[in-house]
Amino acid sequence: GACVVTGDLRQWHRVEVECTGFSASEADDATFTDYRFNVTFTSGSSVVTVPGHFAADGDAADSGATTGDVWRAYFSPPRTGSWQYDVSFRSGQNISVDTAANAGNAMSVIDGLSGSFNVTSSPAPATDMRTRGLLQHLDGDRYLRFAGDGSIYIEGGMDSPENIFGYSEFDNTTKFSDANSCKGILHNFAPHAGDWRSSDPQLANYRGRSRIGLINYIASTGVNAIYIMANTVRGDGCDAHPWAEYNASGQVKRFDVSKLDQWERALTHMTANGIMIHLKTQETENNQLLNNGNLGLERQLYYRELISRFGHHPALQWNLGEENTNTPAQQRAFSDY
């Protein structure tokens, strides 16, 4: 096995640690349940352990790969200077959701690999969320505040369409009609294809330009947040979801690697354009879908994948569910986990 550090080696930007040497497939439950790839980042007194994820061939957003030997962790450094990383790669039944550091068995091919890198200050413009630092809600503070420059943030955002990730050019995204609540359209955002710029990201074969153009248009109006439903299965949209299969069939242990990498490309463009990610994990029609509304294996897997892939964004608001019917005890369990 071997690891490399890539990404933006800047404060509050996305640093990537990619390790290779253990092959897996998104078609196998065990890839997501029985292997745990975590990376601990250390700089002086700052110690942060982040959950990593299976990344197929490392280029799945464009290649569409479902197999490979790349495992990846994203990290947003809260300070400049030298950082060390240490890899933990362990196996065991359902170990991916086990929070005990020494659970299971070490996988020697990657476990124990380490390295270092140096982080410098962000060169991004003031409109980029990464120049302002982690957006936090501090005890006793009335407003959300950025850790970097201490400035106040007041959300002035867009809550419709809630199924904005029900987008025709994301992999494995189809409109279903398997519940009475299903409605609306599968979006293509064609009018915003002209808002895409040549310097902007896209997907392979020129796909995804209208989605990026939409972000450009929204940012140009001064709107500073977008509401995104990560799971609309049997909800109002019946289209957006992170799994390898539309999970109305109950298959919720396998995640679509290429689609999630495509989501990340869109979210990164939002962050760079001053738009907070308001991420809703469920809606009232499907908040009993995972473990009958309790905190069980499938729900833990779902949270781990979302956090691993998107938690590095400095301005991200987690929403446990709009129009929610989970009990207060269930909601506290979700939040604690």
Side-chain angles (χ1 to χ4, degrees):
C3 300
V4 295
V5 178
T6 59
D8 287 333
L9 304 185
R10 310 281 190 171
Q11 185 181 22
W12 307 117
H13 288 236
R14 187 184 75 196
V15 174
E16 305 166 22
V17 173
E18 289 191 345
C19 300
T20 57
F22 183 78
S23 296
S25 170
E26 73 174 33
D28 186 358
D29 288 4
T31 299
F32 304 98
T33 60
D34 294 352
Y35 301 100
R36 189 186 67 191
F37 178 75
N38 287 351
V39 180
T40 297
F41 297 88
T42 306
S43 178
S45 60
S46 295
V47 181
V48 182
T49 298
V50 300
H53 55 269
F54 172 60
D57 66 350
D59 189 35
D62 292 317
S63 70
T66 60
T67 63
D69 71 342
V70 179
W71 299 77
R72 179 196 292 136
Y74 290 143
F75 176 55
S76 175
R79 59 194 288 182
T80 59
S82 178
W83 284 86
Q84 177 172 321
Y85 71 85
D86 295 277
V87 174
S88 170
F89 190 50
R90 305 181 72 84
S91 65
Q93 186 175 15
N94 298 335
I95 191 176
S96 65
V97 299
D98 193 325
T99 57
N102 293 318
N105 302 296
M107 299 283 289
S108 59
V109 65
I110 293 176
D111 185 75
L113 294 177
S114 62
S116 61
F117 55 93
N118 193 61
V119 172
T120 58
S121 59
S122 172
T127 52
D128 192 317
M129 289 295 194
R130 294 169 296 186
T131 64
R132 304 172 72 182
L134 184 68
L135 185 60
Q136 299 173 308
H137 184 202
L138 303 176
D139 285 348
D141 210 342
R142 180 167 182 169
Y143 298 105
L144 299 177
R145 187 182 298 272
F146 288 98
D149 62 9
S151 61
I152 292 294
Y153 172 84
I154 298 176
E155 182 177 357
M158 164 187 147
D159 284 0
S160 179
E162 66 182 33
N163 67 330
I164 199 167
F165 272 6
Y167 174 54
S168 61
E169 296 189 351
F170 283 149
D171 287 354
N172 185 25
T173 304
T174 304
K175 174 66 71 174
F176 287 82
S177 57
D178 60 316
N180 291 334
S181 58
C182 296
K183 55 181 176 286
I185 63 170
L186 189 66
H187 300 290
N188 58 35
F189 303 122
H192 290 290
D195 293 320
W196 181 86
R197 302 175 296 244
S198 60
S199 59
D200 288 337
Q202 59 182 328
L203 302 175
N205 300 317
Y206 310 106
R207 293 181 303 141
R209 289 185 174 187
S210 60
R211 178 69 178 84
I212 296 298
L214 173 67
I215 294 169
N216 290 340
Y217 169 74
I218 292 168
S220 74
T221 69
V223 168
N224 66 3
I226 294 178
Y227 162 128
I228 298 166
M229 193 77 72
N231 175 19
T232 67
V233 172
R234 291 185 177 175
D236 290 332
C238 304
D239 42 30
H241 66 92
W243 295 284
E245 300 176 22
Y246 183 82
N247 76 354
S249 63
Q251 177 49 266
V252 287
K253 295 179 183 176
R254 304 172 190 170
F255 293 83
D256 190 315
V257 175
S258 63
K259 181 199 293 191
L260 289 171
D261 280 358
Q262 291 168 358
W263 285 12
E264 166 62 9
R265 196 166 292 179
L267 296 178
T268 298
H269 196 64
M270 286 171 54
T271 295
N273 283 274
I275 298 176
M276 185 193 74
I277 302 160
H278 188 151
L279 192 62
K280 308 224 173 194
T281 63
Q282 58 186 4
E283 52 186 325
T284 189
E285 292 89 356
N286 62 27
N287 60 22
Q288 306 298 313
L289 182 67
L290 300 177
N291 308 117
N292 297 315
N294 293 310
L295 181 68
L297 172 63
E298 288 77 9
R299 185 177 290 273
Q300 289 172 314
L301 287 174
Y302 175 55
Y303 290 154
R304 178 185 169 94
E305 286 295 316
L306 293 181
I307 291 167
S308 174
R309 295 171 181 278
F310 312 130
H312 62 279
H313 288 285
L316 188 155
Q317 181 166 262
W318 298 102
N319 191 316
L320 291 180
E322 51 103 65
E323 303 170 347
N324 190 265
T325 62
N326 297 112
T327 68
Q330 289 172 329
Q331 293 169 344
R332 291 187 187 100
F334 303 163
S335 182
D336 288 346
Y337 180 78

